[in-house]
Every structure is written in structure tokens, then in C-alpha cells.
Amino acid sequence: MTGVQTCALPICLIVPERPGCGNSDPQPERRIADWPRDLAELLDHLGVDRCVVMGYSAGTPYALQTAQQWGDRVSALHLVAAISPVDRLTDLAPYPAFNRMSIMMARHAPALLRPLLNVAVKDMRQNVFRYVEHSMLASSTASDRDVCASPVLRTAHA
């Protein structure tokens, strides 16, 4: 078969959405410590005994909690773009302005967060490159800015 790639390892990527993320219903009374039980139920249903857990960005505490609670059921833990807990205002200093505002709003005015994010998503969809340049690249490294400025990348994602 020409052009078909195969993988030597059987890999199944399972990406459940945390409560209130994506199409998942919010569950305000739930805690991060409740997540591993939900995930275990899903994996039991799918017949998965052991797995690798990966946490991306705000999924960091969920992945850490899962690895801690499950012990040997987790064969490895990977954190990508991991975030640390935000306990003080100074913890937000490294974040871009929009992220700082979103985190503070989530903590102090959660009812306003969804409308704010809806506006951000609408803006992203209108011009993703403008959004990335103004919201993210201002605090990024020069190499990240160079990649996003690439005409090839812009043509591919226009």
C-alpha cells in the first residue's frame, strides 16, 4: 500500500472532556480529586487496565491527581505546557494579559467568564493570526514569533 503508514504499537488515544469544558456539562460541586474516579469508570467500561496519562495546560492538576490516586494503573505521566497552581496575584505575572484576566475572572466573577470566552472565540475565528499575534506572541520567544510569521504557515491555515 502506497502512502499508508502503520504503527508498530497498538495505541488508542482517549480524550475525555473535563466537566464544563467543550461539550461536557459543568459540575460546580465537583473537585479535581473527583476526576480520577470518573476516568476510571470510563476506562473500566472500555476494558483498559493500564494507561499513560497526559495533562495539557489546565489539565495538569487533573493528570497529577489521577497519577497520584491510581498508582500502578498509570504506566507513565506526561505534562505538556503544564501550569502551576495560582495562589497569589504574582503567580500570574508570566501569563499573557488575556490569560491573567481570565484566571482572575474565573476565581472572582465566574459568571462573566463564559461571555468573555465567547467573545475571544469569535475573535479567534475571524482572524486566528491576529488573535495569536496580539494574545500570545507578544510574550513568546523570537523563534515562536518567526514560526507564526511564516507565509507557508499562514497560507496553510488561511
Side-chain angles (χ1 to χ4, degrees):
M1 280 185 237
T2 314
V4 176
Q5 294 181 355
T6 60
C7 180
L9 299 173
I11 296 174
C12 178
L13 186 61
I14 302 167
V15 187
E17 294 177 331
R18 300 182 318 267
C21 294
N23 292 323
S24 178
D25 294 330
Q27 297 176 349
E29 291 80 35
R30 302 284 299 208
R31 299 171 309 133
I32 292 171
D34 298 325
W35 175 251
R37 186 176 54 249
D38 294 343
L39 191 54
E41 233 177 88
L42 171 63
L43 295 181
D44 290 345
H45 174 76
L46 296 172
V48 177
D49 296 323
R50 277 177 54 91
C51 66
V52 173
V53 172
M54 183 178 83
Y56 174 74
S57 189
T60 299
Y62 294 85
L64 289 169
Q65 186 70 40
T66 299
Q68 181 183 26
Q69 283 188 23
W70 283 7
D72 288 343
R73 190 169 188 179
V74 176
S75 57
L77 170 67
H78 298 279
L79 301 176
V80 180
I83 62 164
S84 59
V86 176
D87 295 322
R88 297 173 306 277
L89 196 55
T90 56
D91 295 336
L92 296 173
Y95 291 87
F98 181 81
N99 294 64
R100 288 194 305 269
M101 182 174 59
S102 299
I103 291 167
M104 292 305 293
M105 194 171 288
R107 178 169 284 177
H108 299 291
L112 298 176
L113 185 58
R114 185 174 295 270
L116 171 71
L117 294 178
N118 286 340
V119 169
V121 168
K122 184 178 177 184
D123 186 45
M124 271 185 254
R125 288 181 176 155
Q126 286 178 352
N127 186 332
V128 69
F129 291 108
R130 182 185 67 217
Y131 174 79
V132 168
E133 287 164 356
H134 291 117
S135 301
M136 300 166 67
L137 290 180
S139 61
S140 296
T141 64
S143 59
D144 286 344
R145 288 191 299 272
D146 291 344
V147 168
C148 287
S150 163
V152 174
L153 180 72
R154 287 178 179 265
T155 301
H157 292 90

